[in-house]
Amino acid sequence: MKEKDLISSQSDQTVQDIIKPYIRYWYLFLLGLIITMAGAFVYLRYATPIYSVKAKVIIKDESNSSGFLEFSAIPEIGNYMSRYGNSKIDDEIAIFTSKRLITNVVKKLDLNTVYRAVGNVKTSELYGTLPFTVQFLEPESENKGGAFPVLNIEIQDQATYKISGDNLANSGIYNFGDRVHFDFADLIVLPNMEDEALFSKYTGETITVVHNDEESVALYYQGELKLLNEIPNSHVIEFSFESATPQKAMDFLDQLIVEYNEDAVDDRNQITRQTLNFIDDRLQIISKELDSVELDKEQFKSKNRLTNIQTEAAIILESASEFDKRQLNIATQLELTNSMIDYIENEDENELLPTNIGLEGDDVVGAVNDYNQLLLQRNRLLKSSTTKNPVIINLNNQIQQIRTSILQSLKNTRNGFQISLRDLNYGESSLNSKIEQVPAKERIYRDIERQQSIKEQLFLFLLQQREESLISLAAIASKAKVVDDAYSSRQPVAPKKLFIYFIAFVLGLLLTFLGIYFKGLFNNKISNREDLERLLRNISIQGEIPKLSKGTPDFITHNDRSIMAESFRILRTNLQYFMRNKGVGSDAHKTIFVTSSITNEGKTFVAYNLATTLALTGKRVILVGADIRNPQLHRYLANGDRSLKGLTEFIADPTVNIDDLVAKSDNHNDLDIILSGAIPPNPAELLLSNRTELFFSELKSRYDHVIVDTAPSMVVTDTLLISSIADVTLYVVRADYTEKKLVGFVNEANKDNKLHNIAVVLNGVSENNFGYGNKYGYVYGQEKKSFFKRLFK
């Protein structure tokens, strides 16, 4: 396999080749990790921990006691209730998260006033036991949206405090307990003298007090509160709230459950209170009627001197007792039915209907209970909704249907009672015909006594129902049973340390990677051999010269085993093979031009050390300074005298011969040097002289190798004018200096044959980029430096 093919096969990218540009900057990755991890540590050190507070309740299923099952008698209502049951928990969640209920909690716990202790780095909220409390006495109607300023209060001693704030007009020192007037409100600061240790702890410390309006605070808690019905088809609701003050969040959830139960109890008490009002009204009416009947009885007996029922009527009255009982029962039910019908027809449709007043008939009683439950449910939803809500509209329709159904049922029942009473009256008339001989006065007395019994029984019945309603009012249980009181997580849920450190770790690597990537992406300089190989077309790279560190000599010495010396030996060997492959001929009498694209690419440095390396093989070598515009070769002479005669004097003055120009190198006896000479006013025209070819022809006859330091080929035309003299043109490219676009000139010069037999050498390669990534070491046989030596080099 040819050398070029071998190099081409080795240039195929592997995983190591891809990550190699990043591994060489490992110290930057380490620095990036140190910075980001330190930032994460500082963030976690001063970040406010957030805790998760949870609670759990179960909503009691009151469908059996509330009469929901009894709606099966009315198909339309039964279908609606089956649909309603699926969304019942969602309705309860809506009530829990209503602004009305949360605002009550904010008021009860005074959550709209926040106290914070000002520290050197961060501010921490104080909750629970406070060194002092601030009472805001003026209404907040003019301060909606959090218009209250932040108050800075500093305890001076046990009697005074200092108050200040941005744009606070009355800043100053005041006594505890005094009423202080401000534009936004009047306030009183009360010290907590019960806990003297706490009061002393914060003496001299600044505590900020922030007072917000209740509505905005309620909206904040409403947004942060999360409720979940985690078990399908269950009545269990789990509360979740995240806060930096866990005790405050626990108090909020516990009080929210209390407010919910009180609200639910108040709703259910409305039915009982309405029933009590109805019974009290009826008791007043029955009491008056009973008094009137008893007074009539007393007057009748007194007027007619009656003490007891006549003996002759005993048997007939005993026969009529059954009629009396039935008449009494039917008359009582008819009276209750008429009262109920009158109540429904005259009272507002939004009022609850009385229950448990003694009406017979399960259908009517169940329908009344169901009507009350639907009415209560609608009123509860209206607290957090509007009348245009489809659920509210549907409920109104169902309520109207039930009310109409109840009224119709009561009227039907009344008709039945009237018919039964009429039949009994007919029977009584038949019985009365049998006691025609009983005095009329006795019959009147019996009617009076019967009316008295009806009123007494109805009065006693209403009293009994009233006592049962009072007992029911006192015995109503809470609707939400607490499964778990509010509790806080032991460990903060935010910030998550492992996650923050992981993000910092990834960010440290990513930022460094992106920095290196974009640096390489926008880098327009040639960095290594691979960059150069991708840009060159049909031009081989003969060698790489490492970048010299500060204080390192820029020339090769005798028995030099440095990296630079070895790289020039490789360059020398590669050039010998290159010239042989190009058919230049024998190794002797070769002219090598050393040029570059622009200045400062190191062509003089390469030319001198290449000449020295060739001289070390025993060859006779001369180094010629042909850069007559900006000569630099004189710096490799001991005296550094640039005034010595050189090439320009030989071309311009026919009397000058080569022996007058040759100077000996200080590094090697077989290396001669001819400087460029004085800088001429017409360098291009001077090089076109016939004496230029004569000069190089004579040098070839005397020396084995003629190394020529020429001018930059892209900047001036000097090198192109004499390029035909060269057997090989060694083109110098400097790593991290030569722009990639300049390599296009090399390809163009090679394509147009402007320069003869171009070969490229890469100069100034850093250690990380030297060779093929410096994978196989720098110098064979040289002791390899340890990691720490290379790190601190």
Side-chain angles (χ1 to χ4, degrees):
M1 180 181 293
K2 296 182 179 180
E3 179 184 6
K4 186 174 181 179
D5 295 335
L6 177 61
I7 295 175
S8 177
S9 64
Q10 292 175 345
S11 65
D12 294 337
Q13 280 196 334
T14 63
V15 175
Q16 291 181 342
D17 295 330
I18 296 175
I19 65 175
K20 177 180 61 179
Y22 303 99
I23 293 179
R24 68 182 58 153
Y25 294 109
W26 61 268
Y27 54 90
L28 293 181
F29 283 97
L30 180 60
L31 179 62
L33 287 177
I34 291 175
I35 293 175
T36 54
M37 296 299 278
F41 174 79
V42 173
Y43 170 77
L44 293 173
R45 172 66 178 81
Y46 295 106
T48 301
I50 304 298
Y51 295 85
S52 176
V53 178
K54 294 184 178 181
K56 189 179 294 185
V57 299
I58 183 170
I59 305 300
K60 296 179 182 178
D61 185 6
E62 301 175 341
S63 58
N64 293 332
S65 61
S66 62
F68 284 179
L69 295 179
E70 296 166 359
F71 276 109
S72 57
I74 306 176
E76 293 81 2
I77 302 176
N79 294 334
Y80 170 78
M81 293 309 299
S82 64
R83 295 193 302 270
Y84 165 77
N86 296 331
S87 61
K88 180 179 179 181
I89 298 302
D90 293 337
D91 293 341
E92 302 304 323
I93 290 176
I95 296 173
F96 269 116
T97 57
S98 63
K99 186 168 72 70
R100 172 186 60 84
L101 210 62
I102 295 177
T103 302
N104 293 339
V105 178
V106 172
K107 292 179 180 178
K108 291 286 182 64
L109 300 180
D110 194 23
L111 298 179
N112 56 324
T113 303
V114 180
Y115 301 80
R116 293 186 177 94
V118 180
N120 295 326
V121 178
K122 69 175 183 177
T123 301
S124 303
E125 182 178 350
L126 300 178
Y127 181 77
T129 305
L130 302 171
F132 59 83
T133 56
V134 180
Q135 296 181 356
F136 292 83
L137 304 179
E138 293 297 325
E140 305 174 8
S141 58
E142 299 180 359
N143 294 283
K144 293 294 183 182
F148 285 94
V150 178
L151 304 178
N152 299 319
I153 299 178
E154 180 182 340
I155 301 174
Q156 301 292 308
D157 50 44
Q158 292 186 349
T160 61
Y161 66 93
K162 178 182 179 182
I163 185 170
S164 61
D166 295 338
N167 302 322
L168 197 63
N170 295 344
S171 298
I173 299 178
Y174 297 94
N175 295 323
F176 285 109
D178 290 348
R179 179 166 181 162
V180 183
H181 174 72
F182 291 97
D183 294 337
F184 55 90
D186 288 357
L187 55 87
I188 298 176
V189 180
L190 301 175
N192 181 10
M193 301 307 299
E194 296 180 359
D195 194 339
E196 296 183 1
L198 180 66
F199 189 84
S200 301
K201 175 182 177 181
Y202 288 100
T203 300
E205 301 290 335
T206 300
I207 296 177
T208 64
V209 180
V210 180
H211 186 73
N212 299 302
D213 64 282
E214 296 169 350
E215 181 178 353
S216 62
V217 175
L219 291 174
Y220 164 76
Y221 277 90
Q222 185 182 40
E224 294 296 321
L225 179 63
K226 297 180 179 61
L227 278 75
L228 178 64
N229 180 216
E230 57 180 1
I231 304 176
N233 300 322
S234 72
H235 294 170
V236 177
I237 299 178
E238 183 178 67
F239 298 75
S240 178
F241 194 90
E242 293 184 356
S243 172
T245 313
Q247 186 59 49
K248 186 176 184 179
M250 288 190 289
D251 292 345
F252 168 74
L253 292 184
D254 288 337
Q255 186 62 34
L256 180 63
I257 296 172
V258 171
E259 291 292 328
Y260 171 82
N261 281 328
E262 291 180 354
D263 186 69
V265 169
D266 184 67
D267 284 345
R268 284 180 290 178
N269 283 343
Q270 291 182 29
I271 300 176
T272 305
R273 292 193 186 100
Q274 195 67 25
T275 302
L276 283 173
N277 293 335
F278 174 80
I279 293 175
D280 289 338
D281 293 341
R282 296 306 303 167
L283 280 174
Q284 292 179 5
I285 296 173
I286 298 301
S287 178
K288 293 179 180 179
E289 293 177 353
L290 184 60
D291 290 342
S292 177
V293 172
E294 289 179 346
L295 181 60
D296 292 343
K297 180 181 178 181
E298 179 181 354
Q299 292 175 351
F300 182 82
K301 291 181 69 176
S302 175
K303 181 179 179 180
N304 295 281
R305 299 178 180 181
L306 295 176
T307 57
N308 51 35
I309 301 175
Q310 296 180 2
T311 304
E312 57 269 20
I315 298 175
I316 299 175
L317 291 177
E318 183 177 355
S319 301
S321 63
E322 183 65 23
F323 281 89
D324 292 338
K325 291 180 181 179
R326 294 175 63 186
Q327 283 179 324
L328 179 63
N329 181 49
I330 292 176
T332 301
Q333 291 297 318
L334 182 60
E335 182 70 17
L336 292 175
T337 302
N338 287 329
S339 299
M340 192 67 175
I341 292 174
D342 180 69
Y343 182 86
I344 293 176
E345 290 178 344
N346 295 325
E347 290 295 330
D348 185 17
E349 293 183 358
N350 293 324
E351 295 293 332
L352 297 170
L353 298 180
T355 59
N356 299 326
I357 60 174
L359 285 176
E360 296 180 356
D362 295 336
D363 293 344
V364 174
V365 175
V368 169
N369 288 332
D370 296 337
Y371 175 88
N372 289 335
Q373 289 297 328
L374 282 178
L375 190 61
L376 282 177
Q377 181 63 30
R378 186 200 63 180
N379 293 339
R380 291 177 64 191
L381 292 177
L382 281 175
K383 294 177 182 179
S384 56
S385 182
T386 63
T387 57
K388 297 182 180 180
N389 190 309
V391 176
I392 300 298
I393 295 173
N394 195 8
L395 278 173
N396 288 333
N397 294 334
Q398 298 300 328
I399 290 171
Q400 184 61 38
Q401 291 178 7
I402 296 175
R403 187 181 184 93
T404 303
S405 176
I406 293 173
L407 185 60
Q408 186 61 41
S409 297
L410 288 173
K411 289 182 178 180
N412 293 337
T413 303
R414 181 180 63 181
N415 292 336
F417 286 150
Q418 289 174 347
I419 294 172
S420 298
L421 187 61
R422 185 171 62 251
D423 293 338
L424 289 176
N425 289 334
Y426 289 153
E428 186 179 26
S429 299
S430 176
L431 183 63
N432 288 336
S433 63
K434 298 179 180 180
I435 54 172
E436 291 178 350
Q437 297 178 357
V438 177
K441 295 180 180 181
E442 190 64 29
R443 291 199 304 271
I444 295 173
Y445 178 79
R446 186 166 61 86
D447 290 338
I448 295 174
E449 200 171 46
R450 182 177 59 194
Q451 291 295 327
Q452 181 186 15
S453 299
I454 293 173
K455 301 300 182 182
E456 285 179 351
Q457 184 175 353
L458 183 59
F459 184 80
L460 293 174
F461 176 78
L462 290 175
L463 284 178
Q464 180 182 357
Q465 295 300 315
R466 186 175 184 275
E467 291 300 318
E468 291 179 357
S469 297
L470 289 173
I471 294 172
S472 175
L473 184 65
I476 291 180
S478 60
K479 185 174 183 179
K481 179 180 180 181
V482 178
V483 178
D484 288 325
D485 289 320
Y487 63 93
S488 172
S489 59
R490 294 188 177 182
Q491 298 297 328
V493 296
K496 298 180 180 179
K497 291 186 177 181
L498 292 179
F499 180 73
I500 295 297
Y501 279 122
F502 173 75
I503 293 298
F505 180 82
V506 173
L507 195 61
L509 296 179
L510 182 61
L511 291 178
T512 307
F513 169 80
L514 291 177
I516 297 173
Y517 173 76
F518 283 110
K519 178 184 177 183
L521 187 64
F522 295 104
N523 182 22
N524 62 345
K525 304 293 186 357
I526 295 173
S527 300
N528 51 43
R529 184 184 185 117
E530 294 175 354
D531 290 344
L532 191 57
E533 286 177 344
R534 284 193 292 267
L535 297 172
L536 291 175
R537 294 192 297 270
N538 300 322
I539 301 176
S540 63
I541 301 174
Q542 297 302 310
E544 298 174 81
I545 310 302
K547 183 178 180 180
L548 300 179
S549 58
K550 292 183 180 180
T552 303
D554 61 347
F555 56 86
I556 298 174
T557 59
H558 188 67
N559 294 329
D560 196 339
R561 298 181 62 193
S562 65
I563 302 172
M564 183 184 70
E566 294 297 335
S567 64
F568 275 103
R569 292 187 181 102
I570 294 173
L571 175 61
R572 177 186 66 191
T573 303
N574 290 340
L575 281 176
Q576 290 174 353
Y577 281 104
F578 177 77
M579 289 185 290
R580 187 178 302 168
N581 292 333
K582 291 294 183 179
V584 174
S586 62
D587 293 338
H589 311 297
K590 301 297 184 295
T591 302
I592 303 175
F593 278 17
V594 181
T595 186
S596 63
S597 298
I598 57 177
T599 59
N600 296 324
E601 290 185 300
K603 57 182 181 55
T604 303
F605 161 75
V606 172
Y608 179 79
N609 286 287
L610 176 60
T612 302
T613 305
L614 291 171
L616 289 174
T617 63
K619 303 290 184 179
R620 295 174 64 249
V621 182
I622 187 166
L623 175 61
V624 179
D627 187 358
I628 60 178
R629 297 175 186 262
N630 184 25
Q632 296 293 328
L633 193 57
H634 60 276
R635 58 191 174 91
Y636 288 101
L637 297 178
N639 53 14
D641 186 6
R642 64 185 300 173
S643 63
L644 296 176
K645 292 182 179 181
L647 175 61
T648 57
E649 283 80 4
F650 180 87
I651 298 174
D653 188 357
T655 62
V656 177
N657 57 51
I658 290 179
D659 293 331
D660 297 333
L661 307 176
V662 175
K664 285 292 183 181
S665 172
D666 299 324
N667 294 331
H668 202 280
N669 293 329
D670 292 333
L671 175 60
D672 293 338
I673 299 177
I674 296 179
L675 300 181
S676 58
I679 300 176
N682 55 345
E685 289 75 10
L686 188 65
L687 290 174
L688 289 174
S689 172
N690 293 331
R691 285 186 60 82
T692 302
E693 294 186 5
L694 177 63
F695 175 80
F696 286 105
S697 297
E698 189 170 346
L699 290 180
K700 281 187 177 183
S701 64
R702 293 187 181 190
Y703 294 93
D704 297 322
H705 293 284
V706 179
I707 310 299
V708 185
D709 177 23
T710 64
S713 301
M714 187 175 174
V715 179
V716 293
T717 188
D718 298 1
T719 305
L720 299 178
L721 294 175
I722 60 175
S723 63
S724 60
I725 300 174
D727 295 315
V728 174
T729 302
L730 188 60
Y731 207 101
V732 179
V733 176
R734 182 177 173 183
D736 299 321
Y737 182 82
T738 304
E739 296 182 4
K740 295 178 180 179
K741 63 181 180 180
L742 300 182
V743 179
F745 175 78
V746 184
N747 292 321
E748 181 183 352
N750 181 62
K751 178 183 178 182
D752 298 339
N753 202 23
K754 293 180 180 180
L755 297 174
H756 192 219
N757 290 333
I758 299 178
V760 176
V761 60
L762 184 60
N763 181 37
V765 184
S766 64
E767 289 184 357
N768 291 329
N769 291 325
F770 189 74
Y772 288 95
N774 192 28
K775 180 178 179 182
Y776 303 106
Y778 295 113
V779 182
Y780 175 74
Q782 188 177 10
E783 180 183 1
K784 188 175 182 180
K785 295 180 181 179
S786 66
F787 169 77
F788 290 101
K789 288 183 179 180
R790 286 187 281 113
L791 175 62
F792 294 106
K793 181 179 178 180

